[in-house]
Amino acid sequence: MLFSKIFIPTLRETPAEAEAVSHILLLRAGYVRQLAAGLYIYLPLAWRVMGRINRIIREEMGSIGAQEISMPGLHPADIWQETGRWYDIGEEMFRLKDRGGRDMCLGMTHEEIITWLASMEIRSYRNLPQVWYQIQTKFRDEARPRSGILRTREFIMKDSYSFDADEAGLEANYQKHAEAYNRIFRRCGLKFHQVESDPGMMGGATAHEFMATSPAGEDTVVLCAGCGYAANTELAMSVPPPQKLKGDEKDTATEDVATPDKRTVAEVSGFLKADPSCFIKSLLMIGHEGPFLALVRGDQELHEKKLQKVAGNFRVAHKDEVKNILGVEAGSIGPHNSTLKKFADASLKEGVYIAGANREGFHTKGIRPHVHFEAEWHDIHVAREVDKCPKCGAGIVLEKVIEIGNIFKLGAKYSQPLKAVFLDEDGKERPVIMGSYGIGPARIAASAVEQNNDKDGIIWPQSIAPFDVEIIPLDTADRETMDTTEAICRELEKQGIEILVDDRDERPGVKFKDADLIGIPFQIIIGKKGLKDGVVELKQRRTKVTERIAPSEVVSKVKDHLAVS
RNA sequence: CGGGGCGUAGCGCAGCCUGGUAGCGCGCCUGCUUUGGGAGCAGGAUGUCGGAGGUUCGAAUCCUCUCGCCCCGACCA
């Protein structure tokens, strides 16, 4: 491919709206352009990258027996009404009416549609198992699209769905997908983790996410080097360090102390000269069944999602509600002498604590769990790096990550309402057991850029680079330079290696800068200087290491490099 | 949806506070020179100052409304 014939609008300066590294580089290197918030146009280079990623996905999906199909992006509402998601999902679903006034929506995922298909076509256990997938556009009216192509309102997703007769079959398909996903992300050159995740609204018991390491990520995972425990912080357990007592705590008696104008844990902690871990943070929440207290240790933060899982939907009480319900300001709440229902972090099961006295300007010392208050105990704190692994006690590490794939065991969650049933060997009708499995190819691309770049631009992993090699003839008017370029080009193409030739009549500096920015892993630089010595230069984008070699040897050298990378 | 920021030439920005003929750099076009890391010189083109309304003799600048984009948070099947 000739540079002059492919549209690569590189930018010298960074567009103001870009913040994330991948966003900046994909814009600057001429890969994408933004149409509106969360809507992107993929230019030729980006589309080639997507093509390579999707090819890897197709190969690996094929290897586990998945069959590619294609489903509409426009859906009738009634199927979504049958599963209830038409009503459960709010503004995130794009809804519209057709000319006949029928309710429609743009598909944000395809469980409903594929289950409808299964309900129509699968009759017998003999038809099972099936694994169907597609690489197709999804629509989600995100509250806040962000970070370039990382979170968009329209995006391509590889989604597959497994149909089995029983749980054992699901387990097998789930494992196959997990293995295929590991191969896909490894082949795409990503650093990633497979972690336990919250099944959330997808339903089902088991779910894992595939997370690419990146500071631009929206999620955080907890990783244990000791035993391999890995989980999204939304559900990751962790054991906090022991409480730091001063040693002068009294046995059982509680005592109120004046703490004028001190509200936050930090303020009271400094005032009373006690470590934050000696405090109970009490937060008033409004749940479906009325107000309740959430309790965490003073040195910890409450994880609202974890609490939601055990307490149901809730919201933080407003200032005036705190005053009305408890009679004191937020800084003076305590768990003792309160009759409200309480959810407490498990770390509060033991120890002696200071908490708000439930009267203005005072805190109570000497509060003991079980003695002075009872609660429902759960891990509801935000994991920190000072915490220990819940499985093996070793230290844990927190990492920012981008979600690039997920796998869910759905069970009968969709097959039941949509009546996707089959007759088993005994002639008994049973719901199909399902799993659903997603990958975001654009997020793979963005993650690859996030993980592989330097001050000069992108450094693509070989497997998903838009081209394998960029050839840079420095003087396009020079006969020998162009003859050599064409000869090398022909040989490389014969080997199935994809090449971009910068045939533009530009100064060498411009070509070098653009080549580094675009990030094709190898550059072959052909200039008069080198040809005088009978050599061309083979440069690795990542290391900037340059080898001077004879034109006749370039092809085999490139093949050597491609083989190892 | 809550909080913050920004909309001025293709891109990056200044001008706004304190109203008075809209500027700079890069890019673009022409010519000459140059040709191994975003060239030099000379000449040139380019603006509904996001939009609407208002104040004023006069608005990019002040006021009101509105649209869009970005960031933080909430949300995220």
Side-chain angles (χ1 to χ4, degrees), chain A residues 81-144:
Chain A
Q81 286 162 353
E82 279 179 58
T83 60
R85 285 163 114 191
W86 178 264
Y87 312 103
D88 297 340
I89 296 168
E91 290 179 302
E92 210 175 326
M93 181 186 271
F94 281 105
R95 296 163 204 257
L96 63 157
K97 285 184 196 298
D98 68 10
R99 60 166 70 194
R102 281 175 287 269
D103 282 319
M104 312 283 286
C105 64
L106 298 180
M108 35 203 320
T109 175
H110 282 76
E111 278 80 15
E112 274 77 2
I113 308 307
I114 204 140
T115 309
W116 175 89
L117 177 66
S119 76
M120 301 301 284
E121 306 301 332
I122 290 177
R123 297 269 164 269
S124 153
Y125 71 95
R126 294 177 203 274
N127 299 329
L128 298 172
Q130 294 288 343
V131 179
W132 298 332
Y133 80 99
Q134 63 174 352
I135 297 177
Q136 211 252 21
T137 303
K138 306 279 185 257
F139 301 89
R140 294 181 190 177
D141 195 358
E142 292 285 350
R144 182 150 93 84

Side-chain angles (χ1 to χ4, degrees), chain A residues 187-250:
Chain A
R187 286 181 64 184
C188 288
L190 295 179
K191 289 189 272 294
F192 67 98
H193 304 285
Q194 176 179 341
V195 307
E196 293 173 23
S197 72
D198 180 4
M201 292 275 286
M202 286 290 270
T206 307
H208 286 87
E209 286 165 333
F210 291 80
M211 303 296 220
T213 311
S214 164
E218 299 178 297
D219 288 292
T220 307
V221 293
V222 170
L223 303 169
C224 170
C227 67
Y229 177 70
N232 193 312
T233 44
E234 289 174 11
L235 51 62
M237 315 261 257
S238 70
V239 181
Q243 183 181 31
K244 290 200 193 87
L245 289 176
K246 279 191 292 187
D248 60 350
E249 287 75 13
K250 297 197 186 65

Side-chain angles (χ1 to χ4, degrees), chain A residues 112 132 157 160 177 179 183 192 259 373 398 426 468 519:
Chain A
E112 274 77 2
W132 298 332
M157 180 166 158
S160 46
H177 271 88
E179 287 159 20
R183 288 194 296 271
F192 67 98
T259 49
F373 72 97
L398 299 188
D426 305 322
D468 298 306

Side-chain angles (χ1 to χ4, degrees), chain A residues 454 459 539-546:
Chain A
D454 61 18
I459 309 168
K539 185 174 136 190
Q540 254 185 60
R541 171 63 184 87
R542 186 179 299 277
T543 59
K544 301 256 163 94
V545 171
T546 303

